[in-house]
Amino acid sequence: MKLILLSGGSGKRLWPLSNDSRSKQFLPVLQGANNQNESMLQRVWEQLGKNDLQQIAYLATSHSQVEVLRSQLGPDVKLIVEPTRKDTFPAIALTANYLYSIEGVSLQELIVVLPVDSYVEDRFFSKLKELEQVMQHTDADLGLIGVKPTYPSAKYGYIVPNSEKGVKIDEFIEYYQVSHFIEKPLEEQAQKLIEQHALWNCGVFAFRLEYIINELIHRKMPIQYEGLLKQYERIEAISFDYAVVEKAERIVVTPYEGEWKDLGTWNTLTEEIRTPLIGKGILTDDSSNTHVINELDIPIVVLGVSNVIVAASPDGILVSDKVASQRIKEVMKYQDQRPMYEERRWGRYRVLDYLNYSDGKQVLTKRICVSEGKNLSYQYHINRSEVWTVVHGEGELILGETRRYLREGDVVVIPATMKHSVRAITEMEIIEVQTGTELIEEDIVRLAMDWEEILQFCTS
Amino acid sequence: MKLILLSGGSGKRLWPLSNDSRSKQFLPVLQGANNQNESMLQRVWEQLGKNDLQQIAYLATSHSQVEVLRSQLGPDVKLIVEPTRKDTFPAIALTANYLYSIEGVSLQELIVVLPVDSYVEDRFFSKLKELEQVMQHTDADLGLIGVKPTYPSAKYGYIVPNSEKGVKIDEFIEYYQVSHFIEKPLEEQAQKLIEQHALWNCGVFAFRLEYIINELIHRKMPIQYEGLLKQYERIEAISFDYAVVEKAERIVVTPYEGEWKDLGTWNTLTEEIRTPLIGKGILTDDSSNTHVINELDIPIVVLGVSNVIVAASPDGILVSDKVASQRIKEVMKYQDQRPMYEERRWGRYRVLDYLNYSDGKQVLTKRICVSEGKNLSYQYHINRSEVWTVVHGEGELILGETRRYLREGDVVVIPATMKHSVRAITEMEIIEVQTGTELIEEDIVRLAMDWEEILQFCTS
């Protein structure tokens, strides 16, 4: 068995804590071990660990998430990176091709696709092994896990079985043949579906590797990893549901009875946040059922306001009625803003200040934190110059072709087109003032990433 | 007639927009001419202008407000500055001594004390001239303006007349003898007071200059300005109400029928703010009776939350039920924070970032804006070094004894104890990174303020 974890999403529904580079699965808002906050992704990863499943897991993701994934799960996590963001079918196909053509995984091997943003109990993951047994026991194309509904939700998809009685393969494991799917029914219809033993679709799909490879052959798509990678830009963006699930002839589902939640809105997410105040601030006693998540350095005071979520990050501040919070995506539709906070392979940065002058000049002030032993790429910028003030830690600077030691209090002036890099000996913090005409993250030419390689450019 | 405007208050009730250096009267939240925002102080000052009263007005204030007062009212406003903040009696006495001993004002001259933070109609100020006539017509020690109550408020002080019928001195002007005062009665009692023709006390007091000079003699306090200034540190901090009003024997009051409001809480203040959103953000249609005042650069989104005030400044973020907002002072009682935004004589600054390391080192990043033609004092710091990156405008720098031209992109490193100053030729913006062990505004030694004088220190 191999697992494909899908890490996607732009996270617009959890603005301002999520942005294009930090989707909801990365938000450190859940309570982990030792009262440390952890993200949904970290929770799922830990749960996989408890079930000995980490070593068979592959994360299908896009370029923009690589750094935060490595920073949250460690450097050894296996990533399959889409060159461009497409939909779930291409992402799953690329990972399948990798397993088939690079790792030489058998065509009979079971592949299980999992989302990384559902909130479940640990025993949900033991269901994966039961699903494997169900698939060995049947000739089904697809195997699913269906969650026993606890109320007639109008927000979820339902898996409808074709009989009320399941097939038991042993004392514990049971499965049903799937008749059809129904997406987001009205509450009344949902009630009837539950009476017919329908289950919630939680996005888990199991199939043999040959099933998807055959689908690719049928679609005249490459079945080699490198080949698909080359064509990736041009292939159709379609969902796995649409491309595969809806067309599969023999689908089985095994029921899971236990907690499962989609923490996709502030309303559902805050139900799982035990402490009402994360970050700096004050919440008065008469503010009931209110949650504050504050990632800014200044305090938030909530005085006598109940049933709201207040979330603040360098991107903005949300004050929303909990039930109304699902409308945030719609409200923010026409807002386009550069990310004000990002986690990177080498550390993280935060935008402190952003000025636009009428003559087209821009000024961006950032606080950059480079982790111990990490380095920025050897890079230069076309449209901006930078001034660095080292405020903490020590490291090595490369400016042009010259290497020198850098410590607290040092000031570095980097004109546009000047090549530069920095490596932190101890964790470093740098205040960076960018000035120029188009201050975007994309104005960067990377010449080398690896420090040993970068040193080759130095003449002194 | 001379006017003494009392500009005091620490402004804790309108946190986070007000702080120790920016009391509520300085907040630019009211709608002025040409749809420009103006402060309560600017509104009162304009209203004095319409009634030709600016030239007889003196502002009694404390050191911390001098710069914001000059910046909001211009350089010509007459300020009487308390060396230490005391209560209203010492502040009024100091101004009275200034008028008596420095300006040689007659002892028979009428002095009228006015608050700067009440929200009134223009014609309130024509009442001042009527009060002068009343005082000429009677032998009263004190003359007051009383506001005709519009509802039985439990929050105001009441002036109770000793007869139901006033004395008319002409067709328009009427006054009453005052029997006594009642502070913040219960609503029921307030209703009865209104039936007895009681009036709201709006903090306007008129007296002849000799009255307060005699009071000072009686208290064995100096009646010379310089003398009082020298003893100021040691004199008792008592209110004018307690020291004078409660002991006065003959008090008269003239009624004012018209709008008068104490904009001291977010609830009363927002009633006068016409636009529901000041600053960057979005307020959904179903957020009714909600006001957002955003002084940050990031957007605030309010989604489906009614009857709240959301106020954000570099000091913090408040989300409060409007009625509950009067509790803010109590909630913030134990919070002590450096100001994150200040207006100064030479411009303004904003704190962008503040870091505290475990080894006691601190880093403070500021954006400083120096107004065209203005200069910082010639100064040095004991415990911090500074790095300036000029991001906008041009000016002149003095570093040590050397004078040089400064423009966009220039970087200046200022070690601790190095003397420095800067003057803006055009409006300048500077990103300043401070590093040191105690980054407080008070770590400053000022050698000179005036630019011509500062130039004397230069050798080149």
Side-chain angles (χ1 to χ4, degrees):
Chain A
M1 182 163 70
K2 302 286 180 193
L3 304 181
I4 303 179
L5 277 67
L6 296 176
S7 181
S10 75
K12 287 243 192 287
R13 249 186 286 257
L14 293 179
W15 186 91
L17 261 57
S18 57
N19 59 34
D20 281 345
S21 90
R22 191 161 69 148
S23 298
K24 63 177 177 180
Q25 61 266 31
F26 303 123
L27 301 180
V29 292
L30 301 177
Q31 196 168 348
N34 309 322
N35 274 321
Q36 288 240 298
N37 285 342
E38 64 177 12
S39 69
M40 298 179 208
L41 173 74
Q42 285 170 320
R43 183 184 148 94
V44 164
W45 192 246
E46 239 179 67
Q47 289 177 317
L48 288 175
K50 286 181 197 161
N51 285 276
D52 278 328
L53 296 168
Q54 280 181 2
Q55 68 286 355
I56 59 162
Y58 297 76
L59 272 127
T61 187
S62 64
H63 212 78
S64 64
Q65 296 189 346
V66 168
E67 301 197 352
V68 57
L69 277 166
R70 290 213 192 280
S71 134
Q72 291 205 349
L73 305 184
D76 299 331
V77 61
K78 284 171 281 203
L79 303 181
I80 308 298
V81 182
E82 296 179 90
T84 333
R85 178 159 283 176
K86 296 276 174 179
D87 210 324
T88 48
F89 176 70
I92 291 168
L94 187 67
T95 314
N97 280 7
Y98 179 86
L99 294 172
Y100 172 67
S101 71
I102 305 284
E103 295 219 336
V105 169
S106 152
L107 283 168
Q108 293 311 305
E109 186 81 43
L110 193 72
I111 309 295
V112 183
V113 174
L114 277 176
V116 293
D117 53 3
S118 30
Y119 185 89
V120 290
E121 295 165 64
D122 292 353
R123 66 195 175 84
F124 180 88
F125 294 92
S126 61
K127 266 282 155 204
L128 298 178
K129 288 166 189 163
E130 293 178 24
L131 183 60
E132 190 177 24
Q133 288 187 52
V134 168
M135 290 299 282
Q136 278 161 1
H137 209 264
T138 69
D139 62 347
D141 300 328
L142 274 179
L144 313 175
I145 292 177
V147 177
K148 279 241 170 134
T150 49
Y151 68 103
S153 168
K155 284 183 211 156
Y156 297 140
Y158 287 75
I159 304 166
V160 188
N162 65 8
S163 75
E164 293 192 2
K165 228 176 138 52
V167 180
K168 274 189 187 286
I169 63 173
D170 68 19
E171 202 183 334
F172 306 105
I173 308 176
E174 188 190 29
Y175 70 89
Y176 294 79
Q177 300 286 342
V178 172
S179 160
H180 59 282
F181 296 90
I182 291 185
E183 267 307 297
K184 298 183 183 169
L186 295 174
E187 213 175 291
E188 213 171 292
Q189 193 190 358
Q191 186 56 53
K192 279 184 191 144
L193 288 170
I194 292 175
E195 285 158 19
Q196 291 163 46
H197 298 260
L199 301 163
W200 285 337
N201 187 351
C202 61
V204 173
F205 304 103
F207 47 85
R208 284 174 202 87
L209 182 54
E210 65 175 355
Y211 185 70
I212 192 147
I213 296 294
N214 286 337
E215 179 64 28
L216 289 173
I217 293 169
H218 174 73
R219 288 174 174 265
K220 300 196 169 64
M221 283 167 69
I223 58 170
Q224 302 292 317
Y225 175 71
E226 295 294 345
L228 185 57
L229 213 50
K230 267 186 210 138
Q231 288 191 20
Y232 210 81
E233 199 79 50
R234 297 193 303 274
I235 62 179
E236 196 187 354
I238 46 172
S239 74
F240 187 75
D241 274 277
Y242 184 79
V244 176
V245 181
E246 288 185 12
K247 287 166 193 160
E249 285 179 6
R250 294 175 302 270
I251 309 179
V252 293
V253 60
T254 178
Y256 158 74
E257 208 170 340
E259 200 178 9
W260 171 82
K261 270 183 183 174
D262 173 16
L263 304 185
T265 66
W266 282 118
N267 198 17
T268 52
L269 179 60
T270 49
E271 281 174 18
E272 299 309 325
I273 301 179
R274 264 171 268 173
T275 158
L277 172 67
I278 297 179
K280 227 174 177 177
I282 298 173
L283 201 58
T284 59
D285 293 341
D286 55 344
S287 302
S288 63
N289 187 30
T290 282
H291 277 84
V292 176
I293 303 175
N294 183 10
E295 295 195 338
L296 297 174
D297 296 329
I298 56 176
I300 295 181
V301 175
V302 178
L303 214 168
V305 187
S306 295
N307 306 312
V308 300
I309 164 76
V310 180
S313 84
D315 282 355
I317 300 158
L318 172 71
V319 178
S320 176
D321 174 74
K322 281 198 175 168
V323 176
S325 66
Q326 50 188 304
R327 281 163 39 211
I328 184 70
K329 192 176 171 179
E330 183 191 319
V331 170
M332 296 303 292
K333 205 188 269 172
Y334 301 108
Q335 302 294 311
D336 209 12
Q337 198 196 19
R338 62 155 293 137
M340 302 295 271
Y341 173 89
E342 285 195 70
E343 285 180 49
R344 291 293 181 84
R345 176 189 50 78
W346 44 260
R348 58 188 188 275
Y349 77 83
R350 180 181 156 183
V351 174
L352 301 176
D353 196 35
Y354 196 10
L355 298 170
N356 279 287
Y357 292 102
S358 52
D359 60 359
K361 296 241 174 72
Q362 299 180 337
V363 178
L364 189 79
T365 308
K366 273 183 179 184
R367 188 213 305 158
I368 292 172
C369 182
V370 187
S371 308
E372 184 176 318
K374 297 294 174 74
N375 65 275
L376 304 194
S377 65
Y378 186 53
Q379 57 188 245
Y380 65 88
H381 313 289
I382 306 289
N383 291 316
R384 68 171 184 257
S385 57
E386 296 178 346
V387 175
W388 291 356
T389 305
V390 179
V391 297
H392 188 67
E394 50 180 330
E396 287 181 282
L397 170 77
I398 296 175
L399 190 63
E401 277 87 41
T402 310
R403 179 182 183 184
R404 74 171 171 96
Y405 174 72
L406 212 54
R407 65 169 171 192
E408 215 178 288
D410 283 348
V411 177
V412 182
V413 178
I414 308 163
T417 75
M418 169 77 89
K419 294 166 197 161
H420 59 282
S421 182
V422 69
R423 190 181 79 88
I425 297 170
T426 63
E427 184 178 85
M428 287 182 87
E429 291 206 270
I430 296 172
I431 305 290
E432 175 181 282
V433 181
Q434 302 181 356
T435 45
T437 48
E438 203 193 2
L439 304 181
I440 52 173
E441 291 301 310
E442 291 70 23
D443 174 15
I444 185 165
V445 179
R446 292 189 179 88
L447 304 164
M449 296 277 270
D450 181 69
W451 189 247
E452 289 309 313
E453 196 187 330
I454 292 170
L455 291 181
Q456 315 271 316
F457 289 88
C458 291
T459 54
S460 64
Chain B
M1 185 164 67
K2 302 287 178 189
L3 304 181
I4 302 179
L5 277 67
L6 295 176
S7 181
S10 75
K12 288 243 190 288
R13 251 186 285 259
L14 293 178
W15 185 92
L17 262 57
S18 57
N19 60 32
D20 282 346
S21 89
R22 191 162 68 148
S23 297
K24 63 177 179 181
Q25 61 266 30
F26 304 123
L27 302 179
V29 291
L30 301 176
Q31 198 168 347
N34 309 320
N35 273 322
Q36 288 239 299
N37 284 343
E38 65 178 9
S39 68
M40 298 178 208
L41 174 74
Q42 284 170 321
R43 181 182 149 94
V44 164
W45 191 247
E46 241 180 66
Q47 289 177 315
L48 288 175
K50 286 182 198 161
N51 286 276
D52 278 328
L53 296 168
Q54 280 180 3
Q55 67 288 352
I56 59 161
Y58 297 77
L59 273 126
T61 187
S62 65
H63 212 78
S64 64
Q65 296 189 348
V66 168
E67 301 197 352
V68 56
L69 277 166
R70 290 214 192 280
S71 134
Q72 291 205 350
L73 304 185
D76 299 330
V77 60
K78 284 170 281 200
L79 304 182
I80 308 298
V81 182
E82 294 179 273
T84 332
R85 178 159 283 175
K86 296 277 175 178
D87 210 326
T88 47
F89 176 69
I92 292 168
L94 187 68
T95 315
N97 280 6
Y98 180 84
L99 294 172
Y100 172 68
S101 70
I102 306 284
E103 296 218 336
V105 169
S106 151
L107 283 168
Q108 293 311 307
E109 186 82 44
L110 193 72
I111 310 296
V112 183
V113 174
L114 277 175
V116 292
D117 52 4
S118 31
Y119 185 87
V120 290
E121 295 166 64
D122 292 352
R123 66 194 175 83
F124 179 87
F125 294 91
S126 61
K127 266 280 156 207
L128 297 178
K129 287 166 190 164
E130 294 177 24
L131 183 59
E132 190 177 23
Q133 290 187 49
V134 168
M135 290 299 282
Q136 278 161 0
H137 210 263
T138 68
D139 62 347
D141 301 327
L142 275 178
L144 313 177
I145 293 177
V147 178
K148 279 240 170 141
T150 49
Y151 68 103
S153 169
K155 285 183 211 154
Y156 297 141
Y158 287 75
I159 303 166
V160 188
N162 64 8
S163 75
E164 292 194 2
K165 226 173 141 53
V167 180
K168 275 186 186 286
I169 63 173
D170 67 20
E171 201 182 336
F172 305 104
I173 308 176
E174 187 190 29
Y175 71 90
Y176 294 79
Q177 300 287 343
V178 173
S179 159
H180 59 282
F181 297 91
I182 292 185
E183 266 308 296
K184 297 182 183 171
L186 295 174
E187 213 175 290
E188 213 171 291
Q189 193 190 358
Q191 186 57 54
K192 280 186 192 144
L193 288 171
I194 293 174
E195 284 160 19
Q196 292 163 44
H197 297 261
L199 301 162
W200 286 337
N201 187 350
C202 61
V204 173
F205 304 101
F207 48 84
R208 285 175 199 87
L209 182 54
E210 64 175 354
Y211 185 70
I212 191 146
I213 296 293
N214 286 337
E215 178 65 27
L216 290 174
I217 293 169
H218 174 72
R219 288 175 174 264
K220 300 194 170 63
M221 283 168 69
I223 57 171
Q224 301 292 318
Y225 175 69
E226 295 294 345
L228 185 57
L229 213 50
K230 268 186 208 139
Q231 289 191 18
Y232 210 80
E233 198 79 49
R234 295 192 304 273
I235 62 177
E236 197 189 354
I238 47 172
S239 74
F240 187 75
D241 274 279
Y242 183 78
V244 176
V245 181
E246 288 186 12
K247 288 167 191 160
E249 285 179 6
R250 294 175 302 268
I251 309 180
V252 293
V253 60
T254 178
Y256 158 74
E257 207 169 342
E259 200 176 10
W260 171 83
K261 270 183 183 175
D262 173 17
L263 305 184
T265 66
W266 281 117
N267 197 20
T268 50
L269 179 60
T270 50
E271 281 174 19
E272 299 310 324
I273 301 179
R274 264 171 268 175
T275 159
L277 173 67
I278 297 179
K280 227 174 176 177
I282 297 173
L283 200 58
T284 59
D285 292 341
D286 56 346
S287 304
S288 63
N289 187 30
T290 282
H291 276 85
V292 176
I293 304 175
N294 183 10
E295 295 195 336
L296 297 173
D297 295 330
I298 57 177
I300 294 180
V301 175
V302 178
L303 214 168
V305 186
S306 295
N307 305 313
V308 299
I309 164 77
V310 181
S313 84
D315 281 355
I317 300 158
L318 173 71
V319 178
S320 177
D321 173 73
K322 282 199 176 169
V323 176
S325 66
Q326 49 188 306
R327 281 163 38 211
I328 184 69
K329 192 175 172 182
E330 184 190 321
V331 170
M332 297 302 292
K333 205 189 273 176
Y334 302 107
Q335 303 293 310
D336 208 13
Q337 199 196 17
R338 61 154 294 136
M340 302 295 270
Y341 174 87
E342 286 193 69
E343 285 180 47
R344 291 293 182 83
R345 174 188 52 81
W346 44 261
R348 59 189 186 275
Y349 78 82
R350 179 181 156 182
V351 174
L352 301 175
D353 196 35
Y354 195 12
L355 298 169
N356 279 287
Y357 292 103
S358 51
D359 61 359
K361 296 242 175 73
Q362 300 181 337
V363 178
L364 189 79
T365 308
K366 274 183 180 185
R367 189 213 301 157
I368 291 172
C369 181
V370 187
S371 308
E372 185 176 318
K374 296 295 172 77
N375 65 276
L376 303 194
S377 65
Y378 186 53
Q379 58 188 240
Y380 64 89
H381 313 289
I382 305 289
N383 291 315
R384 67 172 185 256
S385 57
E386 296 179 346
V387 175
W388 291 357
T389 304
V390 179
V391 298
H392 188 66
E394 53 181 325
E396 286 179 281
L397 170 76
I398 297 175
L399 190 62
E401 276 86 44
T402 310
R403 179 181 181 182
R404 74 173 173 94
Y405 175 72
L406 213 54
R407 65 168 173 194
E408 215 178 287
D410 283 348
V411 177
V412 183
V413 178
I414 308 164
T417 74
M418 170 77 92
K419 293 164 199 164
H420 59 282
S421 181
V422 68
R423 189 181 79 90
I425 297 170
T426 63
E427 184 179 83
M428 288 182 87
E429 291 206 89
I430 297 172
I431 305 290
E432 174 180 283
V433 182
Q434 303 180 353
T435 45
T437 48
E438 204 196 1
L439 304 182
I440 51 172
E441 291 301 309
E442 290 71 22
D443 174 16
I444 184 165
V445 179
R446 292 187 178 90
L447 303 165
M449 298 276 272
D450 181 69
W451 189 247
E452 289 309 313
E453 195 188 332
I454 291 170
L455 291 180
Q456 315 274 314
F457 289 89
C458 291
T459 55
S460 65

